[in-house]
Amino acid sequence: MSIRELIELSAAEALRRITAGEISAAELFDAYAAVPDELNAYLWRAEPGAADGNGAGAGAEGPLAGLPLAVKDIFCTEGIATTAGSRILEGYVPPYTATSVQRVTDAGARILGKTNMDEFAMGSSNENSAFGPVLNPWDTSRVPGGSSGGSAAAVAAGLAPWALGTDTGGSIRQPAALCGIVGLKPTYGAISRYGMIAFASSLDQCGPLTRTVTDAALLLRELQGRDERDSTSVGIEGGVELPSREDLRGLRFGVPRELGPDAEGIEAGVREVFERTLRRIEELGGEVDECELPHSRHGISAYYVIAPAEASANLARYDGVRYGMRDPDARDLTGMYERTRGRGFGAEVKRRIMLGTYALSSGYYDAYYGQAQRVRTKIAEDFRAAFESFDFLVTPTAPTVAFELGSKTDDPLAMYMNDYCTVPVSLAGVPAISLPGGLAQPDGGGPELPVGVQVIAPAFTESKLLDAAYALEQAIGFDARPPGFGGGEA
Amino acid sequence: MSANLDGYEAVIGLEIHVQLRTRTKMFCGCELSFGDDPNVHTCPVCLAHPGSLPTLNEQAVRYGIQIGLALGCEIAPRSIFHRKNYFYPDNPKAYQISQYDIPLARNGRLGDVRIHRVHLEEDAAKLIHVGESGRIHGSDASLVDFNRGGTPLVEIVTEPDLRDAASAREWLQLLRSTIKAIGASDVNMEEGSLRCDANVSIRPAGSQELGTKTELKNMNSFRFLERGIEAELERQVALARAGEPIEQETLHFDPRTGTLTPLRSKEYAHDYRYFPEPDLVPLAPSKELLDEARASLPELPAQRLERYQSELGIPEAQAKLLAYDGELGDYFEAAVGAGTEASAKGLANWITGDLTARLREAAGEEGEVHAADSRVTPQAIAELVAMVEAKQVTAQAGREVLAKLVAEGGSPAEIVEREGLASISDSGELEGIVAAAIEADPDAAAKVREGNMKAIGPLVGYVMRETKGRADGGEVTRLIRKQLGLG
Ligand SMILES: [Zn+2]
């Protein structure tokens, strides 16, 4: 098979062929490793032929049989530099491997590379990477979304069959939407966070970015599970079933008024694709009705208190004492802290550390952090109430298609609004998947770009969610490839 | 020794940190270390590598619960860990995981002191400052040893119920023996497994209000705790007398000079920005764990004290010495159970009195040798006390036997035999010596005969000299009176 044919295969299909002996895992690995990265999607890449060094030969052991995998650079990988997109971790080589990565490599996956990301997962455009932005393979003047932008772009562009990402307020779903692929944020606690560099501990969750819903199920099946090293992990009871559903009969889909097509800032093209998707749901036998998540409009405000507060503590360990960057010119302890952190962190990270420090400070705690936690509880109650009447909730994943590089960098609030539909889900801790609904022009015209649809489910019902998403995926039949797929040679 | 408080009353509360004697650290699997090379007991968690997460040590929780129960506290059905944020090189995460508004246990009492709270947290790493200053500011370099970082700690905070320095010291000894009885810690102040800070204030005697308090740190022995509090009370009283205000501050005790110096405010004025630790789920001990922890509590010093006083009739001061020193108490109980006729009261008297004094004397400057580690077995002391009580040897001869036992061990009966220390049981022999005494000092004999009983001393002294202390004092007095026609 040609490189192009190999990288066109979904992970599930590639797995079938490896198992049948039609292709070898090493051949597949080398095909991906040979595709030029013109998007700055990777911060580190394995060489072609490294699959053997990675332990993957033809007929590799385990359920993932040597399938190559891209890993967001937020996961610690023993012996492989890990930066979380930050200057402050430049040169840091972890002495251990994240549980999630260990699980999939134990299952036979082989690491193709570490993908670029917004610094410490703080961003929605990948422009906050200390190592330059990732470009969107659909239009290289546009952003791929973030913070898992490198993973999304790599999967969309044929630089990886699938990838690991992390989602704190939308960091898997939003870039998946902007790059035209599938992105799943599992229930908080489904997958171990051990070894995943923390941004906001009560929200961070690992998840797959894939080209198909089946691939997402395949990867989630290996990732999920209780880990003794992460007290907040519980796994998914009963494991994960591969999806097979062909219709949506008997299922009720709620469209939250606050996050639906008429919410503020939703582009016309996004609305059109979303409404077409709702009709597809009905055609498949699902019921669609409006519902309410009254507190979700406060989601962004609560999120931008809670996440920075946790981040301000999580990022305090980068002090130049034990690893990573240390400013060589510091003359005393305070100077070492100030100069190391001043030079090591980018502007958005500093902004959030300051926001979070302020929100936790004496005299302000209750008005900010305390209030945000109360809002979070209300939002979670809204979701619980909605799931008494509905099996799933559906929203657009992001209000717009991929926007132009630099267009929002000077306006943090506009940037934060990208996550308007994804953040409430993170605060509630429930699972959600983004799948491509179709293509649409941005407001103001231009080439057509992918639009994502978010399907949200009750906690720990990933198997049902994947089943419904699979039926919808088959009905939508999205099969467009970005012009940059496989390095651009069609 | 107590400070002259001149119409003022002292109000003292203690804040105690206890290093738990678990096998591994509070939040990771690294073993606790004692004198190992620096930085050998470390891992991604206790070095705060990116992505690492804490997991709670079950044994530390169990010890924490047992300490809470021993202090009569309510154990929280669901307690919460918080992050206490501050930058310092001994604190690799830049936050300490501790408990804040919902601690593991609260509202207890030990002895006369109410317990405010008991909570779990982790110890900091050890800093070694190179250079003149001895502190991080102005040192040439500072080295960090992360072996200690993450050692499980229990913090105990009392209500301000103590009223003088000596009581504070005595109460801390009770706490120490209580924790030692549980086996939760080595509770060694010199080695830092027991650390005690004191909050000290004064108020006009009889007042119910609390004065401005100061926090005393670094008193790393029982003696220094007492001296530190004494010194601070004197300082506060002097300020109050002079009409000057007492500042709220943290004071550092210097054991070399016995003085207190304020820490620079920069070093302790923190906004710790506490918030709930999202990496740990709430601590909700199961009923099984609570029941098991309660059932496996040994007899505690406070219970021993009560039993020694009410059941064995031992005076309070001696009972405290035995009950608050678990090993001495065990030694005492072994002696009581040794199968001799010795009374518990007699044993308590000899063990806390002569034996302790002899051992201290023998150890000299080197420090104390504990009864349990001495050459005097519980069996031997019991036999000796039984002989004294049966008047087979006199108390004075008994002390000589004890000195031999301390020096070389062995059996009291053999020592008595070998040294000829048995009481003179032959009353004929004793009658003769008494007669000789009266003959030797007719003046004294005459005074006694006239009713001046004080004059009997020289006569008894003569007999004791002649018998080398082997005569029973009461019997000698009886015989003198008899021979002088008074009996
Ligand atoms: Zn460790």
Side-chain angles (χ1 to χ4, degrees):
Chain A
M1 286 178 90
S2 71
I3 286 182
R4 174 75 192 208
E5 284 166 326
L6 284 166
I7 65 170
E8 283 275 4
L9 301 172
S10 72
E13 177 58 18
L15 181 59
R16 193 191 65 73
R17 295 196 190 196
I18 292 171
T19 313
E22 294 167 23
I23 60 172
S24 78
E27 184 186 355
L28 187 66
F29 188 96
D30 291 349
Y32 277 108
V35 177
D37 175 12
E38 282 157 4
L39 304 171
N40 198 27
Y42 283 108
L43 294 177
W44 173 84
R45 272 184 108 180
E47 298 290 320
D52 286 333
N54 241 337
E61 298 297 309
L64 298 182
L67 284 178
L69 171 78
V71 174
K72 188 178 181 178
D73 204 32
I74 201 165
F75 293 94
C76 284
T77 42
E78 187 177 348
I80 301 174
T82 301
T83 65
S86 183
R87 201 59 79 190
I88 210 160
L89 279 175
E90 211 171 0
Y92 172 65
V93 179
Y96 77 111
T97 296
T99 300
S100 49
V101 175
Q102 193 65 53
R103 275 178 183 264
V104 291
T105 53
D106 285 351
R110 296 295 167 253
I111 299 173
L112 264 176
K114 302 290 294 287
T115 55
N116 201 349
M117 56 181 284
D118 283 302
E119 184 175 6
F120 287 105
M122 297 178 188
S124 307
S125 69
N126 233 288
E127 292 163 296
N128 296 336
S129 169
F131 308 105
V134 178
L135 310 180
N136 190 315
W138 292 84
D139 176 350
T140 52
S141 71
R142 290 173 186 269
V143 305
S147 66
S148 308
S151 285
V155 173
L159 287 157
W162 55 8
L164 292 188
T166 62
D167 189 313
T168 305
S171 280
I172 287 174
R173 291 161 287 165
Q174 185 256 12
L178 269 49
C179 289
I181 60 167
V182 172
L184 172 69
K185 183 205 89 78
T187 312
Y188 184 81
I191 302 173
S192 169
R193 292 182 296 114
Y194 189 76
M196 200 172 100
I197 297 178
F199 158 21
S201 313
S202 74
L203 295 157
D204 296 342
Q205 190 59 207
C206 163
L209 293 107
T210 59
R211 293 190 208 141
T212 70
V213 173
T214 300
D215 286 359
L218 203 56
L219 202 47
L220 178 65
R221 191 161 69 174
E222 303 304 331
L223 287 167
Q224 70 84 23
R226 157 119 183 107
D227 176 14
E228 299 227 313
R229 292 178 181 273
D230 175 3
S231 315
T232 65
S233 71
V234 285
I236 300 171
E237 207 187 317
V240 176
E241 304 278 337
L242 294 190
S244 59
R245 190 167 181 133
E246 284 168 3
D247 63 59
L248 297 172
R249 262 192 283 277
L251 296 176
R252 297 155 304 169
F253 290 77
V255 180
R257 193 173 301 145
E258 299 78 4
L259 309 177
D262 301 325
E264 209 185 305
I266 305 275
E267 279 187 336
V270 171
R271 186 181 305 127
E272 198 186 306
V273 169
F274 182 71
E275 281 169 349
R276 198 191 316 145
T277 307
L278 295 182
R279 288 197 295 279
R280 290 255 192 273
I281 292 173
E282 289 176 326
E283 286 161 21
L284 289 167
E287 284 173 47
V288 176
D289 219 332
E290 206 174 50
C291 74
E292 286 189 343
L293 295 171
H295 298 92
S296 59
R297 64 200 167 87
H298 301 301
I300 290 284
S301 314
Y303 177 85
Y304 277 98
V305 172
I306 293 169
E310 293 180 7
S312 72
N314 283 331
L315 272 61
R317 68 187 57 192
Y318 306 110
D319 56 9
V321 175
R322 282 146 294 125
Y323 47 72
M325 192 193 123
R326 176 192 296 172
D327 189 289
D329 301 326
R331 311 186 68 91
D332 61 9
L333 180 67
T334 314
M336 182 174 82
Y337 287 158
E338 288 173 355
R339 296 179 67 99
T340 300
R341 292 168 66 79
R343 290 176 55 172
F345 289 136
E348 181 62 21
V349 171
K350 287 179 191 163
R351 177 169 19 244
R352 296 200 197 185
I353 289 174
M354 285 190 282
L355 268 175
T357 304
Y358 184 78
L360 291 174
S361 59
S362 167
Y364 296 94
Y365 179 91
D366 199 61
Y368 291 101
Y369 192 76
Q371 183 69 1
Q373 288 292 7
R374 287 187 284 275
V375 170
R376 181 177 189 174
T377 305
K378 291 281 182 198
I379 289 174
E381 284 167 4
D382 283 355
F383 275 93
R384 253 194 302 280
F387 285 129
E388 281 172 18
S389 311
F390 296 95
D391 297 291
F392 303 103
L393 304 180
V394 235
T395 75
T397 306
T400 69
V401 294
F403 45 94
E404 291 190 340
L405 283 159
S407 63
K408 296 186 183 178
T409 39
D410 294 333
D411 187 351
L413 282 181
M415 188 71 92
Y416 296 170
M417 291 312 283
N418 266 290
D419 300 325
Y420 186 74
C421 295
T422 50
V423 150
V425 180
S426 297
L427 290 169
V430 297
I433 194 167
S434 177
L435 63 160
L439 298 174
Q441 279 190 319
D443 279 2
E448 289 197 310
L449 296 163
V451 173
V453 176
Q454 175 176 235
V455 185
I456 310 161
F460 300 111
T461 61
E462 274 82 351
S463 287
K464 282 186 187 162
L465 172 64
L466 288 159
D467 230 8
Y470 175 78
L472 191 53
E473 176 190 47
Q474 304 307 305
I476 292 169
F478 182 86
D479 60 0
R481 293 270 190 241
F485 189 85
E489 314 145 34
Chain B
M1 279 293 284
S2 182
N4 175 14
L5 293 185
D6 195 26
Y8 289 96
E9 176 181 61
V11 178
I12 303 160
L14 302 179
E15 213 175 284
I16 301 105
H17 286 91
V18 177
Q19 269 185 348
L20 296 180
R21 203 169 64 181
T22 49
R23 191 177 61 79
T24 56
K25 293 186 181 181
M26 191 68 177
F27 297 115
C28 66
C30 291
E31 288 189 11
L32 300 194
S33 90
F34 301 95
D36 295 315
D37 288 343
N39 295 312
V40 293
H41 297 285
T42 60
C43 73
V45 177
C46 57
L47 288 177
H49 271 265
S52 63
L53 297 172
T55 45
L56 188 55
N57 182 329
E58 264 186 42
Q59 181 58 27
V61 171
R62 195 171 166 280
Y63 280 147
I65 289 172
Q66 287 194 311
I67 290 172
L69 291 172
L71 302 183
C73 293
E74 301 153 12
I75 306 296
R78 196 170 168 280
S79 66
I80 309 279
F81 287 93
H82 271 63
R83 292 185 182 177
K84 179 182 181 179
N85 296 285
Y86 63 95
F87 283 96
Y88 214 58
D90 65 2
N91 177 24
K93 297 188 295 298
Y95 55 84
Q96 179 198 33
I97 303 177
S98 181
Q99 294 194 294
Y100 184 54
D101 53 358
I102 313 179
L104 176 65
R106 55 180 144 195
N107 298 334
R109 171 181 287 279
L110 179 68
D112 300 330
V113 176
R114 289 171 301 151
I115 304 293
H116 178 61
R117 57 184 282 149
V118 175
H119 78 237
L120 293 167
E121 59 183 35
E122 57 178 333
D123 208 348
K126 208 166 169 178
L127 284 178
I128 299 128
H129 304 299
V130 181
E132 294 272 304
S133 75
R135 288 193 186 172
I136 199 158
H137 297 285
S139 64
D140 297 335
S142 293
L143 306 171
V144 198
D145 176 6
F146 288 99
N147 282 351
R148 195 184 70 180
T151 299
L153 290 183
V154 157
E155 181 179 318
I156 300 160
V157 182
T158 76
E159 298 291 351
D161 289 350
L162 290 156
R163 293 291 172 265
D164 60 74
S167 313
R169 174 183 182 160
E170 185 181 283
W171 186 84
L172 188 64
Q173 262 154 351
L174 170 60
L175 178 72
R176 177 181 182 275
S177 61
T178 302
I179 294 168
K180 197 161 181 148
I182 295 169
S185 170
D186 295 331
V187 277
N188 186 317
M189 283 191 93
E190 285 76 14
E191 289 169 9
S193 52
L194 174 68
R195 298 169 219 158
C196 184
D197 300 337
N199 292 311
V200 175
S201 64
I202 56 169
R203 64 186 174 193
S207 162
Q208 289 306 305
E209 277 168 44
L210 293 173
T212 304
K213 68 180 180 189
T214 55
E215 193 180 351
L216 315 189
K217 288 185 175 292
N218 196 45
M219 297 166 297
N220 55 6
S221 77
F222 287 95
R223 198 159 53 89
F224 291 158
L225 173 73
E226 190 172 344
R227 278 178 54 191
I229 294 173
E230 295 265 351
E232 175 57 8
L233 287 173
E234 273 167 34
R235 191 186 71 89
Q236 288 191 13
V237 168
L239 282 172
R241 265 191 214 144
E244 286 179 33
I246 292 157
E247 306 272 341
Q248 179 159 354
E249 59 188 337
T250 300
L251 301 163
H252 195 261
F253 181 75
D254 183 346
R256 284 170 304 175
T257 60
T259 56
L260 299 154
T261 47
L263 286 178
R264 284 187 297 169
S265 60
K266 256 179 122 174
E267 289 181 44
Y268 69 92
H270 283 294
D271 177 358
Y272 289 120
R273 291 175 283 117
Y274 280 99
F275 74 101
E277 164 60 291
D279 288 332
L280 290 169
V281 294
L283 167 56
S286 66
K287 190 179 174 301
E288 290 73 46
L289 176 59
L290 286 172
D291 289 347
E292 190 270 329
R294 197 185 303 271
S296 57
L297 277 181
E299 185 188 37
L300 297 169
Q303 296 164 335
R304 259 193 180 176
L305 175 62
E306 165 63 21
R307 181 164 62 86
Y308 288 172
Q309 286 183 265
S310 64
E311 285 179 26
L312 304 179
I314 297 168
E316 186 182 353
Q318 289 177 9
K320 268 187 184 168
L321 289 171
L322 295 172
Y324 291 6
D325 181 338
E327 285 168 8
L328 196 63
D330 291 343
Y331 179 88
F332 164 71
E333 305 223 354
V336 170
T340 70
E341 294 294 315
S343 73
K345 276 173 86 167
L347 281 167
N349 192 27
W350 275 81
I351 290 172
T352 59
D354 288 295
L355 176 60
T356 303
R358 282 282 176 202
L359 290 173
R360 203 169 283 161
E361 215 173 87
E365 294 296 307
E366 311 286 296
E368 284 177 43
V369 170
H370 206 277
D373 308 323
S374 75
R375 294 195 173 85
V376 189
T377 63
Q379 179 74 37
I381 191 88
E383 284 172 11
L384 175 60
V385 172
M387 288 170 78
V388 172
E389 286 179 344
K391 298 196 192 307
Q392 291 162 356
V393 292
T394 63
Q396 192 189 329
R399 284 188 203 96
E400 281 181 49
V401 176
L402 187 62
K404 297 271 181 213
L405 285 173
V406 167
E408 57 212 39
S411 140
E414 280 169 21
I415 294 170
V416 168
E417 175 71 32
R418 190 181 72 215
E419 306 286 326
L421 289 169
S423 296
I424 296 170
S425 50
D426 181 341
S427 61
E429 185 187 347
L430 198 55
E431 293 255 15
I433 298 168
V434 168
I438 291 169
E439 201 180 307
D441 193 347
D443 285 356
K447 283 182 187 155
V448 173
R449 206 177 276 117
E450 285 157 18
N452 180 359
M453 290 311 290
K454 278 183 192 157
I456 202 166
L459 300 177
V460 175
Y462 180 96
V463 177
M464 288 303 173
R465 267 197 306 282
E466 287 300 302
T467 60
K468 294 190 182 113
R470 291 175 302 127
D472 178 75
E475 179 68 4
V476 172
T477 308
R478 195 183 64 78
L479 288 176
I480 293 170
R481 288 168 60 95
K482 188 182 125 199
Q483 291 193 17
L484 293 176
L486 295 170

